[in-house]
Each structure stands twice: as structure tokens, then as C-alpha cells.
Amino acid sequence: MYGLIRPWLFSLDPHRAQAFALAALRLRNLFARDELERFLVGGGPADAQVRGGGGMRAASVGPAGAGAGIGAAAGAGPGVDLFGLRFPNRVGLAAGFDKNARDIDSLGRLGFGFIEVGTVTPRPQPGNPRPNLFRLPADEALINRLGFNNEGATAAARRLEARRYRGICGVNIGKNFDTPLEDAVKDYASCLRTVYGVADYVTINVSSPNTPGLRGLQDPDALRPLLLELANMREQLQAAHAKRVPLLVKLSPDLSALEVTGIARGLVELPVDGIVATNTTVSRPAGLRSPHAAETGGLSGRPLHSRSVAVLRALRAVLGANFPIVGVGGIVSPEQGVETRAAGADLLQLYTGLIYRGPALLSELLEMLEPKASP
């Protein structure tokens, strides 16, 4: 079905096309609600992924290992236990697709094992001027220079509180564009405080190429105090909310091998629960064919995959087998998802691949990762 409408969607401005696609998902979700209510009343598969009546989860996520069954989808495979959460499957939606947590319920019905919203900042901000999003169809890629456009952490937290979807929801947090880098910790702390009660995990985004200076926070001398401050705040919030929210760090694919090694070694010594690898790249691999290839911003999609996998392998080599890593970057085919998993990713995230392949990519990838047993 998606293959039939994709040419029409690609004839639209990228922002309009995404708005249309999300509106269609909302409509689908609305018509499906009666069916969901029957499941909620009588129990059944939908009950595992859709909230009943809003409010907080029936069981809160506690210290590592507690509350692991929350949001597990019936019939979605054996599930994955990671940083104290149970993921019904290994494939999630990356941050950036639902920046403001407006479409969690609709997106949740597609079968993701988890959804990450954001990036959110303490104050609303419009992001960079348009045009700021470009398709590269010949390369199965996107270039964006959005710049953390969002309605603010408070608005996202309100929607997260009201969501019906009971699957795992992470929140990606960042700093406002006009906050000086030396004050960035205040912005991250503000976001963490705002979303803590409604997030299952929080990703600290220090790697977007579209906020000037932000990647400087990956330097160990900046990253260590930032993470220690957020970990200290988590200890206070954990007592207030009676749950421990895992903290992850999202890294750039443009780090050198030496930088990757240094960051990985430093993170092992810090109270951090995992890494998301990687963000978009400012590099432009040779051979890009699309007219917009020279646009500034972060490149995602197929051309990113090899670099993302290289960073992932380097991280796994330093961190060992047990440190959680979420692999994201350039997965536009099921085979690339399998390669990312083989490189050491415990979980996977999709974004650009969905633009080019539609929801079928998710189902095909899940089938390859978790093939059904033969009768």
C-alpha cells in the first residue's frame, strides 16, 4: 500500500508529506478505537500496548530488573530485557519522527518495540528557517537542519501523561539554541526534571549537528560533568517518583576512532545506562547522486549506515558484551538492520528507512530478527 502512495507523498514538501502521513495514522487509530476498547475491557493483545483511561502506568518502572513486564506486546516474540525495562521486540522508532509526542498512540499501533520522542528543549523553539529538510531519493537518504524545533518539554510531558499506548516511551532531550554551551547542563537538567515522571528512559542528545556547538559536549571534559550532574538529579527524582529512569547518551557518527574509544572508556566509569549510536553525519560520502546532496545539515539514510556500524563496532569492542547499545543510522533494509544487530546493537531504531520503505520495513526486519518457529 505504501508503495502506491509514496510517489504522491514525494511530490509534496517533506514537512507536508509527514504531516499527511501522521494525520492518516491518527485517522486509522480513531477508527480502530472501538476495537481497542473491546480488548481493554475483555483483555487481549491490544491491551498490552494501549493505555486505558490515561494516567500513569499500572506498574511503575523501578530499579534495574523491576517492572520488566510493562508494555510487553502479546505475540511479539520473546522480548528483550535491558536497563530494567522489558522491550516486546528489538525495533523502535527513533527520535525526530514524533518530536512533540503528538502521535504516540497512532505510531504505537504499527508494532514498534519502543518509541522515542523529541528532541525536546526546556523552552519551545521554531528551529532553523525552512527549507530545512531535503529528500535524496537516488541515495535513499535525507538531509535535515531542523535545529531541535519543538513545542517544549512541558507540552511533550503533558501528552506523554495522557497517552494510551502502554509500550516503552523514551524522551530525547537537548538544549535551547540560545543557551550558552557553558550553561547547557541547566537545560538538560530542566528537561530531565520535566519529563522524568512520564518517561521510561531519557536520551541525552549531545550529537545533533544542527545546534551550533552542541557536539562540543561530547568532549570528555564537558561530557563527564554533564552526566554526573544529571545522574545526581536522577537520584533525587527517583526518590520523588519511586522509579529509576535509565539515562542514555546519543553520540555522533563523525567521531574519530580515538574519540570513540575515549568516550566509551569514560562512560564505563559513569552512572549511564546505555548509548544510542548514532546521530546524523555532516560528512558527504563519495557517490551521492541526488541534487540536494550539497545541502548543509545532518545526513541520514543508506549513506550513513557503514559509518554508523563502524562506530557501533568500535564502541562494542571497548564496552564489552554487556553494556547496552541502541543502534540507529542508515537502516533502510532488513538486511542492514541485521548487520547493525550483528555489529553489537541490542536494540535498533528506524527513521529514514520508514520514509522510503514504509511500515513494511518494520515487519520485515522483525521477521528477520525474530523468525517465527516452524509448525
Side-chain angles (χ1 to χ4, degrees), residues 26-373:
R26 288 185 210 120
L27 189 62
R28 174 178 178 266
N29 189 51
L30 180 64
F31 280 110
R33 186 157 297 183
D34 288 344
E35 176 190 350
L36 294 177
E37 292 294 350
R38 286 197 295 272
F39 276 119
L40 289 170
V41 172
D47 186 43
Q49 290 279 49
V50 182
R51 283 176 178 263
M56 295 301 294
R57 296 180 181 278
S60 62
V61 177
I70 297 168
V80 184
D81 294 310
L82 213 61
F83 35 81
L85 300 174
R86 182 155 183 88
F87 295 80
N89 66 61
R90 294 186 186 273
V91 185
L93 181 65
F97 204 93
D98 188 10
K99 287 178 174 290
N100 296 302
R102 287 183 172 274
D103 295 288
I104 298 171
D105 293 344
S106 303
L107 292 165
R109 290 183 56 81
L110 295 178
F112 291 106
F114 59 106
I115 293 173
E116 187 171 316
V117 303
T119 300
V120 299
T121 54
R123 291 173 283 112
Q125 61 181 33
N128 295 319
R130 296 187 183 186
N132 54 22
L133 181 60
F134 307 90
R135 299 188 195 94
L136 283 65
D139 305 297
E140 292 186 292
L142 297 175
I143 291 175
N144 91 80
R145 49 174 182 262
L146 297 171
F148 290 169
N149 55 311
N150 75 106
E151 297 169 2
T154 299
R158 284 198 302 264
R159 296 182 186 118
L160 287 165
E161 171 67 20
R163 74 190 187 268
R164 294 165 53 86
Y165 171 69
R166 289 182 57 203
I168 303 283
C169 284
V171 182
N172 188 298
I173 63 174
K175 80 172 191 73
N176 282 109
F177 78 99
D178 58 353
T179 298
L181 209 58
E182 58 269 22
D183 293 332
V185 64
K186 297 178 183 177
D187 275 14
Y188 286 97
S190 172
C191 286
L192 181 61
R193 187 183 304 111
T194 300
V195 305
Y196 192 94
V198 293
D200 292 315
Y201 70 88
V202 170
T203 298
I204 302 156
N205 190 342
V206 292
S207 54
S208 170
N210 298 315
T211 297
L214 186 77
R215 287 185 165 187
L217 295 175
Q218 294 176 115
D219 184 283
D221 290 338
L223 188 60
R224 182 179 179 86
L226 170 64
L227 296 181
L228 286 174
E229 178 67 24
L230 295 179
N232 288 335
M233 171 168 283
R234 175 174 61 181
E235 294 303 310
Q236 303 170 26
L237 294 169
Q238 179 176 344
H241 292 274
K243 69 170 187 175
R244 181 183 185 276
V245 173
L247 298 178
L248 284 65
V249 181
K250 189 165 188 176
L251 299 179
S252 165
D254 299 320
L255 296 166
S256 69
L258 188 63
E259 288 171 325
V260 171
T261 299
I263 290 172
R265 288 175 177 167
L267 289 177
V268 170
E269 301 172 355
L270 294 171
V272 175
D273 299 276
I275 291 174
V276 180
T278 63
N279 215 313
T280 58
T281 178
V282 295
S283 71
R284 296 293 182 266
L288 293 179
R289 296 172 291 164
S290 300
H292 290 301
E295 292 287 348
T296 60
L299 174 72
S300 62
R302 186 178 291 276
L304 171 61
H305 186 250
S306 60
R307 182 56 193 160
S308 182
V309 166
V311 171
L312 179 55
R313 288 195 179 111
L315 287 168
R316 184 56 75 200
V318 175
L319 297 168
N322 296 323
F323 195 97
I325 301 178
V326 181
V328 56
I331 301 174
V332 298
S333 73
E335 292 77 13
Q336 287 176 316
V338 171
E339 184 181 355
T340 300
R341 169 81 176 117
D346 299 290
L347 302 172
L348 309 177
Q349 288 182 326
L350 304 177
Y351 185 162
T352 303
L354 291 172
I355 305 298
Y356 285 95
R357 293 288 306 277
L361 176 60
L362 173 60
S363 57
E364 292 169 7
L365 178 53
L366 287 173
E367 181 63 29
M368 290 190 71
L369 292 172
E370 302 170 356
K372 295 178 181 178

